[in-house]
Amino acid sequence: MSHPIQLHPSADFIARTRAATADKDLRKGFRGAMDFLQAKRAAQFPDPVELETLRDLGAAIRRHSLACLPDLLEQLEGRLTANGIQVHWAETPDEANAIVLDIVRRRQAKSVIKGKSMVSEEVAMNHVLEAAGLEVLESDMGEYIVQLAGEAPSHIIMPAIHKSKQQIAALFAAKLPGVAYTEDVDELIRIGRDVLRRKFAAADIGLSGVNFAVAETGTLFLVENEGNGRMCTTVPKVHVAITGIEKVVAKLEHVAVLNTLLPRSATGQAVETYQNFISGPRKPDELDGPEEVHLILLDNGRTQAYADREFRATLQCIRCGACMNHCPVYARIGGHAYGTTYPGPIGAIISPHLLGIGATHALATASTLCGACAEVCPVRIPIPQLLIRLRNEAQADSAHASALRGAGESHSVLGSLIFRAWALLYAHPAFYRMATWLMSRLRVLAPARQGAWTQMRTPLIPARRRLRDLLREPRRDAARDSTVA
Amino acid sequence: MEAAHAEVHDTDADSWPTLIHRIAAAKGVRSLLVGAGTRESARLVDAPADDSLLVVPYAHTVDTWRDGLFCDIDAGLSRARSAIAATGSLVLWTGPDEPRLLSLVPPIHFVLLDARCIHADLHEAMMAERWSDGLPTNVVVVSGPSKTADIQQTLAYGAHGPRELVVLLVHGTEAAT
Ligand code: SF4
């Protein structure tokens, strides 16, 4: 089984960011979208006290869920099973895909219709199902557009954010038989709706993600605006949901709290059109709903993050996307440049656990550590702190590298020597004095071109006289002050 | 609710059936899907109206008339268990008498809401109605008609679910329950 997304995101990250920053249309599109989303979010939280209280509550709920994760997962499995929902555990993407293929074969399914699910992207499920000869169709409008274009989503909430209306109009006209070019958004949506409506009625299996799984009641909670998610989970005879093991919460009421944060942080909406609580397949006396409901709980490196005191916070994430909407780096390079399923700040901190630190270390360096992400994160994940830790882990030498997959893979002897010398310099005043004295003497030797630094800035040249020399000089005004006294 | 692009009509326990007939006629609705055997469906059929609205009871499993449901029905009617003031949302409790697709597939969705059953927010609704003691296989909290902003953040209504949401707020004691 091949995994097209399991590439080496670090390898040509720099090249991809160059290409993205050079693409004027892309940058304009992202800038506009980010400004729009930031303004909409801000309008949803006019009261900072309410916002901070809610964030405290959200963080506490997520931390609590993680603190009792093993027990909650056990309880969840028990309740879901009692409700008639079949629970499957997958440690790797291959295992998750094998479980789906198994269901497909048993039901002799030919077509799968999908609601939005980032975890299914994470395991490259479309690819695997298509390779097995199934028709796989994305039904979220954004995902549908991206699929039609043969691309991957560039944002976890708004998959087609990188595409302009004109590009989508041209795409529909080119790919859909009998469709004329139109830039009318209502018309474009109507076209998509008509194509997909026929598919809903015919699909054998509906596939979806999960926003939260409630241990107490054995309920899958899904939110959406379009109604495609409800279609996927209701119309086909089989519904397969897939999610990460961290998405469990203890109580139903926790969902109510988290979902006051999720839509407002994500798209700046007060609430989604549909909040869908699924607690079982169709009962004998019911007239619709799927005959079978399955839940696949995927690990894929999450337990590694879980095992580390600091990295565990990564799993608090409710996938709202606010961190990317507010990230100055994401706004400039867009989602595709990251090369991972999850882009932006959350991508930089979660991907190392999914794909290994060695393969993803460049992502953690693509941050100015400005802290905007942590400031908006509804569940208070200390993202910059985790980025620094990841940078350290990537560079650590074998003696200091942790047990994290890929830790120390970007260790370089020269790099670590430079940093050791740097540390030495700053830890010993004598060395420091000597070095700065030397630098101010040798300032004429400072090169005019200093690599990436001088691309946009004037070169760094040591001052003629050090600060400490200036301080040592008797201050003229100080002398005057003393005579007055 | 109107902020979320829903249409709200005030009515009372006696006159809502005629009101539905009137709105349906104005919107050109020819067929209205209702839960089979509910008191509401009987009242709609009995309501004095001179239109040709066809009241269709949802009486068979969806597997036997999937195409009919998807192509021939103009509107659906369901009852809200309660509503949520903070977000203007309706709580739909599905079950044998009001199947899941009733509120999803038809392009226009009518909802009857008893004006006495309104909670401040979702949390309060869950606690007051003791949801965690037992949920049906599917509960849906609806806030407006289906929509999408997936094309250049431009909002468009009627994505995959209903294009219009019409709420009938039933006042008075003998409300539709
Ligand atoms: S890290 Fe925080 S802000 Fe980013 S997607 Fe997750 S919950 Fe949202």
Side-chain angles (χ1 to χ4, degrees), chain A residues 33 36 139-142 145 158 160-161 164-165 168 185-186 188-189 193 196-197 200-201 216-217 219 225-228 230-231 234-235 237 252-253 256 269 271-283 285-290, chain B residues 58-63 66-67 70 87 89 94-96 99-107 122-123 126-127 131-132 135-162:
Chain A
F36 175 78
S139 65
D140 173 90
M141 284 296 178
I145 291 165
M158 312 190 99
I161 201 165
S164 68
K165 178 163 75 181
I168 295 167
V185 171
D186 284 323
L188 288 170
I189 295 293
R193 171 194 167 105
L196 290 167
R197 212 172 160 80
F200 277 123
E216 171 187 44
T217 53
T219 301
N225 286 320
E226 297 185 1
N228 67 309
R230 285 178 69 197
M231 290 275 191
T234 312
V235 181
K237 292 201 172 161
L252 195 62
E253 58 182 293
Q269 283 176 271
V271 68
E272 308 88 348
T273 303
Y274 301 116
Q275 303 176 66
N276 192 356
F277 299 78
I278 299 170
S279 307
R282 180 195 306 196
K283 287 194 178 143
D285 57 348
E286 288 182 317
L287 301 175
D288 58 18
Chain B
Y58 197 144
H60 304 285
T61 80
V62 63
D63 314 302
R66 203 173 289 253
D67 290 340
F70 272 81
T87 49
S89 314
T94 67
R100 309 182 193 203
L101 294 176
L102 182 60
S103 59
L104 179 64
V105 175
L122 178 61
H123 189 267
M126 281 179 176
M127 302 314 265
W131 285 22
S132 53
L135 288 167
T137 51
N138 191 204
V139 172
V140 186
V141 178
V142 177
S143 317
S146 103
K147 60 176 181 276
T148 181
D150 271 344
I151 299 183
Q152 234 176 315
Q153 297 94 53
T154 311
L155 197 56
Y157 288 96
H160 295 293

Side-chain angles (χ1 to χ4, degrees), chain A residues 87-422:
Chain A
V87 181
H88 311 262
W89 302 90
E91 204 181 318
T92 60
D94 283 347
E95 279 182 33
N97 287 324
I99 292 165
V100 179
L101 283 177
D102 206 49
I103 299 171
V104 164
R105 288 207 189 96
R106 193 167 43 73
R107 300 286 309 203
Q108 299 181 334
K110 303 211 164 35
S111 59
V112 174
I113 192 131
K114 284 183 67 196
K116 211 171 151 20
S117 155
M118 287 309 292
V119 175
S120 76
E121 305 273 350
E122 182 184 325
V123 302
M125 192 174 283
N126 288 14
H127 185 75
V128 172
L129 290 175
E130 276 166 3
L134 277 103
E135 183 194 22
V136 184
L137 207 66
E138 294 285 354
S139 65
D140 173 90
M141 284 296 178
E143 293 276 359
Y144 176 66
I145 291 165
V146 165
Q147 188 189 31
L148 212 55
E151 295 173 357
S154 59
H155 189 282
I156 60 172
I157 305 283
M158 312 190 99
I161 201 165
H162 58 289
K163 285 209 160 326
S164 68
K165 178 163 75 181
Q166 292 76 10
Q167 287 172 323
I168 295 167
L171 178 71
F172 274 25
K175 292 275 170 99
L176 300 175
V179 168
Y181 183 93
T182 167
E183 287 182 15
D184 179 5
V185 171
D186 284 323
E187 183 60 17
L188 288 170
I189 295 293
R190 199 196 53 74
I191 294 168
R193 171 194 167 105
D194 287 351
V195 173
L196 290 167
R197 212 172 160 80
R198 284 194 296 271
K199 300 289 183 180
F200 277 123
D204 300 316
I205 292 185
L207 216 135
S208 78
V210 172
N211 290 94
F212 302 111
V214 186
E216 171 187 44
T217 53
T219 301
L220 308 179
F221 176 73
L222 281 79
V223 291
E224 49 140 355
N225 286 320
E226 297 185 1
N228 67 309
R230 285 178 69 197
M231 290 275 191
C232 289
T233 59
T234 312
V235 181
K237 292 201 172 161
V238 181
H239 168 209
V240 181
I242 179 166
T243 195
I245 50 170
E246 80 280 18
K247 286 293 184 69
V248 62
V249 293
K251 290 181 177 294
L252 195 62
E253 58 182 293
H254 292 168
V255 166
V257 178
L258 292 175
N259 205 45
T260 58
L261 283 163
L262 179 58
R264 291 155 90 189
S265 302
T267 50
Q269 283 176 271
V271 68
E272 308 88 348
T273 303
Y274 301 116
Q275 303 176 66
N276 192 356
F277 299 78
I278 299 170
S279 307
R282 180 195 306 196
K283 287 194 178 143
D285 57 348
E286 288 182 317
L287 301 175
D288 58 18
E291 290 163 3
E292 286 178 24
V293 180
H294 300 262
L295 175 68
I296 302 173
L297 288 159
L298 175 72
D299 176 359
N300 195 22
R302 287 164 173 82
T303 41
Q304 167 180 297
Y306 187 76
D308 184 285
R309 253 171 170 281
E310 203 176 5
F311 283 133
R312 182 179 290 189
T314 314
L315 303 180
Q316 281 166 226
C317 177
I318 59 172
R319 300 283 188 272
C320 70
C323 53
M324 56 195 79
N325 296 348
H326 291 76
C327 177
V329 177
Y330 178 87
R332 282 163 184 80
I333 66 175
H336 286 153
Y338 289 84
T340 46
T341 305
Y342 306 97
I346 178 60
I349 59 169
I350 188 90
S351 308
H353 302 291
L354 311 182
L355 305 170
I357 292 180
T360 53
H361 71 94
L363 307 184
T365 64
S367 168
T368 61
L369 301 178
C370 71
C373 47
E375 210 171 287
V376 294
C377 176
V379 290
R380 293 198 191 281
I381 301 177
I383 301 173
Q385 197 179 310
L386 299 179
L387 289 173
I388 296 174
R389 168 87 192 278
L390 283 166
R391 291 180 186 183
N392 289 338
E393 290 289 351
Q395 303 294 340
D397 59 27
S398 50
H400 297 94
S402 63
L404 300 179
R405 185 151 65 101
E409 265 181 31
S410 344
H411 174 74
S412 90
V413 177
L414 180 66
S416 80
L417 274 179
I418 292 175
F419 273 99
R420 239 187 267 162
W422 191 265

Side-chain angles (χ1 to χ4, degrees), chain B residues 66-143:
Chain B
R66 203 173 289 253
D67 290 340
L69 171 63
F70 272 81
C71 305
D72 303 337
I73 301 288
D74 297 331
L77 169 72
S78 59
R79 297 164 302 186
R81 177 189 173 94
S82 54
I84 293 159
T87 49
S89 314
L90 301 159
V91 177
L92 307 181
W93 215 253
T94 67
D97 54 350
E98 285 199 343
R100 309 182 193 203
L101 294 176
L102 182 60
S103 59
L104 179 64
V105 175
I108 301 179
H109 180 204
F110 290 93
V111 183
L112 287 175
L113 169 66
D114 181 340
R116 294 168 306 175
C117 307
I118 298 177
H119 302 284
D121 55 31
L122 178 61
H123 189 267
E124 195 192 287
M126 281 179 176
M127 302 314 265
E129 296 178 2
R130 308 177 70 96
W131 285 22
S132 53
D133 287 355
L135 288 167
T137 51
N138 191 204
V139 172
V140 186
V141 178
V142 177
S143 317

